[in-house]
Amino acid sequence: MSAKTAVKIVMICNEQGLHARPSSALIKVAQEFESAILIRNLSAGTEADGKFLLEVMTLAAAKGTELEISAEGCDADDAVLALAQLISGGFGEFGS
């Protein structure tokens, strides 16, 4: 049986982009899942393991940057959904 894979593209919408606090929030959520998680900055072509803070911060994703979230594992769908909601919600940095 092969591992499940899920992918979603989201846009950074918070004013300060993917700085230290949202990066930390992202890895905290990512670490709740068993699946391997990869975050790719589509405009820069860079990628990071979604469970490692320094890697995520090197994505340098400003407001408006599109990120591709991919996960592979038994809970891939749930992982991608949770991360997409966190990012699309601006990491809680602004009101709706």
Side-chain angles (χ1 to χ4, degrees):
M1 179 182 237
S2 62
K4 181 154 181 65
T5 302
V7 179
K8 184 159 181 70
I9 296 174
V10 294
M11 183 180 292
I12 298 289
C13 56
N14 57 314
E15 289 298 322
Q16 300 299 317
L18 195 56
H19 59 88
R21 194 194 69 72
S23 293
S24 180
L26 189 147
I27 64 151
K28 183 177 180 183
V29 171
Q31 289 174 345
E32 293 175 3
F33 298 94
E34 289 183 35
S35 292
I37 297 170
L38 184 69
I39 311 290
R40 182 173 294 130
N41 179 328
L42 295 178
S43 58
T46 55
E47 59 186 38
D49 183 319
K51 296 184 180 185
F52 290 94
L53 181 61
L54 291 178
E55 286 192 32
V56 170
M57 289 183 67
T58 64
L59 292 173
K63 181 179 181 181
T65 301
E66 285 189 321
L67 299 179
E68 178 186 84
I69 306 165
S70 61
E72 184 175 343
C74 62
D75 54 3
D77 287 333
D78 292 337
V80 168
L81 179 62
L83 291 167
Q85 288 176 338
L86 176 69
I87 295 168
S88 296
F91 302 93
E93 290 191 340
F94 63 92
S96 36

